[in-house]
Short mmCIF file of all heavy atoms in Angstrom, two decimals:
data_model
loop_
_atom_site.label_atom_id
_atom_site.label_comp_id
_atom_site.label_asym_id
_atom_site.label_seq_id
_atom_site.Cartn_x
_atom_site.Cartn_y
_atom_site.Cartn_z
N GLU A 704 -9.71 -6.56 92.42
CA GLU A 704 -10.20 -7.59 93.35
C GLU A 704 -11.64 -7.30 93.75
O GLU A 704 -12.46 -8.23 93.87
CB GLU A 704 -9.30 -7.65 94.59
CG GLU A 704 -7.86 -8.05 94.33
CD GLU A 704 -7.69 -9.53 93.99
OE1 GLU A 704 -8.71 -10.25 93.89
OE2 GLU A 704 -6.56 -9.97 93.80
N GLY A 708 -14.82 -9.69 92.94
CA GLY A 708 -15.78 -10.11 93.95
C GLY A 708 -17.22 -9.86 93.52
O GLY A 708 -18.11 -10.68 93.76
N LEU A 711 -18.17 -12.55 91.03
CA LEU A 711 -18.43 -13.83 91.69
C LEU A 711 -19.80 -13.81 92.36
O LEU A 711 -20.51 -14.83 92.39
CB LEU A 711 -17.34 -14.12 92.72
CG LEU A 711 -15.94 -14.39 92.15
CD1 LEU A 711 -14.94 -14.59 93.29
CD2 LEU A 711 -15.94 -15.61 91.23
N ARG A 761 -18.71 -12.77 98.61
CA ARG A 761 -17.54 -12.70 99.48
C ARG A 761 -17.20 -11.26 99.81
O ARG A 761 -17.53 -10.35 99.03
CB ARG A 761 -16.36 -13.40 98.78
CG ARG A 761 -16.61 -14.87 98.44
CD ARG A 761 -16.91 -15.68 99.67
NE ARG A 761 -17.10 -17.10 99.37
CZ ARG A 761 -17.52 -17.98 100.25
NH1 ARG A 761 -17.85 -17.60 101.46
NH2 ARG A 761 -17.66 -19.25 99.91
N PRO A 762 -16.54 -11.01 100.96
CA PRO A 762 -15.93 -12.03 101.84
C PRO A 762 -16.86 -12.60 102.92
O PRO A 762 -16.55 -13.61 103.53
CB PRO A 762 -14.80 -11.26 102.51
CG PRO A 762 -15.28 -9.85 102.56
CD PRO A 762 -16.12 -9.63 101.34
N ASP A 763 -18.03 -11.95 103.16
CA ASP A 763 -18.82 -12.37 104.32
C ASP A 763 -20.07 -13.17 103.98
O ASP A 763 -20.63 -13.84 104.85
CB ASP A 763 -19.23 -11.12 105.13
CG ASP A 763 -18.02 -10.32 105.58
OD1 ASP A 763 -17.03 -10.96 105.98
OD2 ASP A 763 -18.08 -9.09 105.51
N SER A 963 -8.15 -22.73 103.14
CA SER A 963 -7.12 -22.17 104.02
C SER A 963 -6.55 -20.88 103.44
O SER A 963 -6.36 -19.88 104.16
CB SER A 963 -6.00 -23.20 104.21
OG SER A 963 -4.93 -22.64 104.91
N LEU A 964 -6.29 -20.87 102.12
CA LEU A 964 -5.76 -19.67 101.47
C LEU A 964 -6.79 -18.55 101.52
O LEU A 964 -6.46 -17.38 101.77
CB LEU A 964 -5.37 -19.99 100.02
CG LEU A 964 -4.83 -18.84 99.19
CD1 LEU A 964 -3.54 -18.29 99.80
CD2 LEU A 964 -4.58 -19.30 97.75
N ARG A 965 -8.06 -18.88 101.29
CA ARG A 965 -9.12 -17.87 101.30
C ARG A 965 -9.28 -17.26 102.69
O ARG A 965 -9.57 -16.07 102.83
CB ARG A 965 -10.43 -18.49 100.83
CG ARG A 965 -11.54 -17.46 100.64
CD ARG A 965 -12.80 -18.04 100.01
NE ARG A 965 -13.45 -19.02 100.89
CZ ARG A 965 -13.60 -20.29 100.60
NH1 ARG A 965 -13.13 -20.78 99.46
NH2 ARG A 965 -14.21 -21.12 101.45
N ALA A 966 -9.06 -18.06 103.71
CA ALA A 966 -9.18 -17.56 105.07
C ALA A 966 -8.13 -16.50 105.38
O ALA A 966 -8.37 -15.56 106.15
CB ALA A 966 -9.08 -18.71 106.07
N THR A 967 -6.95 -16.63 104.76
CA THR A 967 -5.87 -15.67 105.02
C THR A 967 -6.02 -14.40 104.19
O THR A 967 -5.50 -13.35 104.57
CB THR A 967 -4.50 -16.31 104.74
OG1 THR A 967 -4.45 -16.69 103.36
CG2 THR A 967 -4.27 -17.52 105.62
N CYS A 968 -6.69 -14.50 103.03
CA CYS A 968 -6.86 -13.30 102.18
C CYS A 968 -8.22 -13.35 101.50
O CYS A 968 -8.31 -13.58 100.28
CB CYS A 968 -5.73 -13.19 101.16
SG CYS A 968 -5.35 -14.73 100.30
N PRO A 969 -9.30 -13.19 102.28
CA PRO A 969 -10.65 -13.31 101.72
C PRO A 969 -10.97 -12.28 100.66
O PRO A 969 -11.84 -12.52 99.82
CB PRO A 969 -11.55 -13.16 102.94
CG PRO A 969 -10.72 -12.40 103.93
CD PRO A 969 -9.32 -12.85 103.71
N ASP A 970 -10.28 -11.14 100.68
CA ASP A 970 -10.57 -10.08 99.72
C ASP A 970 -9.67 -10.15 98.49
O ASP A 970 -9.57 -9.21 97.72
CB ASP A 970 -10.41 -8.71 100.39
CG ASP A 970 -9.03 -8.51 101.00
OD1 ASP A 970 -8.28 -9.51 101.08
OD2 ASP A 970 -8.70 -7.37 101.38
N ARG A 971 -8.98 -11.30 98.33
CA ARG A 971 -8.10 -11.48 97.17
C ARG A 971 -8.54 -12.71 96.36
O ARG A 971 -7.83 -13.70 96.27
CB ARG A 971 -6.64 -11.65 97.62
CG ARG A 971 -6.06 -10.48 98.42
CD ARG A 971 -5.71 -9.32 97.49
NE ARG A 971 -4.83 -9.71 96.41
CZ ARG A 971 -3.51 -9.85 96.52
NH1 ARG A 971 -2.92 -9.66 97.69
NH2 ARG A 971 -2.78 -10.16 95.48
N PRO A 972 -9.72 -12.66 95.74
CA PRO A 972 -10.21 -13.84 95.01
C PRO A 972 -9.32 -14.25 93.85
O PRO A 972 -9.33 -15.41 93.44
CB PRO A 972 -11.60 -13.43 94.53
CG PRO A 972 -11.62 -11.93 94.60
CD PRO A 972 -10.72 -11.57 95.73
N SER A 973 -8.51 -13.33 93.33
CA SER A 973 -7.63 -13.71 92.22
C SER A 973 -6.62 -14.75 92.65
O SER A 973 -6.09 -15.50 91.81
CB SER A 973 -6.90 -12.48 91.67
OG SER A 973 -5.96 -11.99 92.61
N TRP A 975 -7.20 -17.29 95.17
CA TRP A 975 -7.75 -18.60 95.52
C TRP A 975 -8.85 -19.12 94.56
O TRP A 975 -9.14 -20.30 94.53
CB TRP A 975 -8.33 -18.59 96.94
CG TRP A 975 -9.13 -17.37 97.33
CD1 TRP A 975 -8.69 -16.29 98.02
CD2 TRP A 975 -10.53 -17.14 97.06
NE1 TRP A 975 -9.70 -15.37 98.20
CE2 TRP A 975 -10.86 -15.88 97.62
CE3 TRP A 975 -11.52 -17.85 96.41
CZ2 TRP A 975 -12.12 -15.33 97.54
CZ3 TRP A 975 -12.79 -17.29 96.33
CH2 TRP A 975 -13.09 -16.05 96.89
#
Side-chain angles (χ1 to χ4, degrees):
E704 297 287 3
L711 292 177
R761 301 300 182 188
D763 302 319
S963 173
L964 179 62
R965 187 173 66 243
T967 61
C968 46
D970 56 349
R971 301 283 306 279
S973 69
W975 43 263

